[in-house]
Amino acid sequence: EAGVTQFPSHSVIEKGQTVTLRCDPISGHDNLYWYRRVMGKEIKFLLHFVKESKQDESGMPNNRFLAERTGGTYSTLKVQPAELEDSGVYFCASSQPRTGGGETQYFGPGTRLLVL
Amino acid sequence: AQKVTQAQTEISVVEKEDVTLDCVYETRDTTYYLFWYKQPPSGELVFLIRRNSFDEQNEISGRYSWNFQKSTSSFNFTITASQVVDSAVYFCALSEITGNQFYFGTGTSLTVIP
């Protein structure tokens, strides 16, 4: 079974440009999450999809970030326009809902974004 | 407030030594879940273990063991007879019954020297 995949693995862009990250979750997983790790800090939650609906986007830093999950399959995270502080590793994770919560999230390899 | 603290930023051990990675958490929920993930140089986060707040039994899986103590809000991870392949960044995470997001610590970078 294929794991969570993310594309691209690396992206280097200039401040003000637009970047779109893609995540393909494990097939059949309804839950999809985006997280970000800024250098040396903790991995922080950005948002959570259940199928195509945004369940929780409380971690999105500002309106320069737009996440979509059309059709409830893959998801994209667009940063427009990118700023220097957006640099970091963006992780995607997926899971199946579990009665009582606490489902295990399976993570992709991340996209390393560097904004110059 | 929810918080996970991994006070050890970097640890180096010589191969075959035992090493313990510390994790201390904060939560107001009485039902919660704790996780450990391994991040090898390839970058992906590999799931190691999930433990719920009602199960304080220690767990052993091969050379890995986990010590969960609610009294000290700790969920420590021990690698016995470390190997070079154990070199990685290890993350501890918390999730609560009231939500789905994970709260991560800052990670501990483990280097096993041959």
Side-chain angles (χ1 to χ4, degrees):
Chain A
E1 180 181 311
V4 176
T5 58
Q6 294 185 244
F7 182 83
S9 58
H10 295 79
S11 180
V12 181
I13 61 173
E14 293 189 352
K15 176 182 170 180
Q17 289 185 321
T18 297
V19 63
T20 300
L21 314 181
R22 173 172 169 143
C23 168
D24 286 79
I26 292 172
S27 178
H29 279 192
D30 290 340
N31 289 325
L32 187 148
Y33 304 83
W34 285 97
Y35 291 84
R36 178 175 72 175
R37 187 184 191 210
V38 173
M39 177 75 77
K41 299 204 171 180
E42 71 270 28
I43 300 170
K44 277 196 169 180
F45 168 79
L46 296 178
L47 87 159
H48 169 209
F49 283 100
V50 177
K51 296 184 180 178
E52 67 275 8
S53 300
K54 291 177 186 174
Q55 182 76 15
D56 180 359
E57 50 184 331
S58 61
M60 294 287 263
N62 51 60
N63 59 10
R64 295 184 294 103
F65 289 74
L66 175 64
E68 294 180 327
R69 192 183 182 195
T70 307
T73 54
Y74 72 91
S75 174
T76 58
L77 179 64
K78 182 162 72 174
V79 185
Q80 178 182 29
E83 298 289 344
L84 300 180
E85 64 264 25
D86 300 332
S87 297
V89 181
Y90 289 77
F91 289 100
C92 177
S94 71
S95 70
Q96 269 294 48
R98 178 179 177 277
T99 303
E103 66 262 20
T104 297
Q105 295 181 19
Y106 296 92
F107 285 77
T111 293
R112 283 145 189 80
L113 174 64
L114 179 60
V115 183
L116 301 175
Chain B
Q2 311 87 347
K3 187 177 180 182
V4 175
T5 301
Q6 294 180 256
Q8 303 150 309
T9 305
E10 296 180 0
I11 301 177
S12 291
V13 298
V14 176
E15 202 170 21
K16 296 183 184 177
E17 287 184 345
D18 299 347
V19 59
T20 295
L21 310 182
D22 298 334
C23 173
V24 174
Y25 61 91
E26 295 176 31
T27 178
R28 292 179 182 166
D29 281 13
T30 55
T31 302
Y32 52 89
Y33 299 85
L34 296 164
F35 300 79
W36 276 95
Y37 285 82
K38 173 182 180 180
Q39 185 186 34
S42 52
E44 77 277 17
L45 293 172
V46 178
F47 166 72
L48 295 178
I49 189 170
R50 169 182 164 277
R51 180 50 56 104
N52 76 54
S53 53
F54 296 108
D55 183 1
E56 285 194 74
Q57 277 194 339
N58 291 333
E59 180 151 342
I60 298 174
S61 177
R63 296 184 297 105
Y64 294 173
S65 62
W66 289 269
N67 183 356
F68 176 31
Q69 293 198 344
K70 287 179 77 170
S71 60
T72 55
S73 297
S74 65
F75 187 43
N76 296 337
F77 172 30
T78 297
I79 301 174
T80 302
S82 59
Q83 299 176 2
V84 173
V85 293
D86 296 327
S87 296
V89 180
Y90 291 86
F91 291 95
C92 181
L94 162 76
S95 76
E96 299 172 319
I97 194 70
T98 48
N100 292 80
Q101 65 170 284
F102 278 14
Y103 300 91
F104 280 91
T106 50
T108 297
S109 177
L110 173 66
T111 301
V112 180
I113 303 165

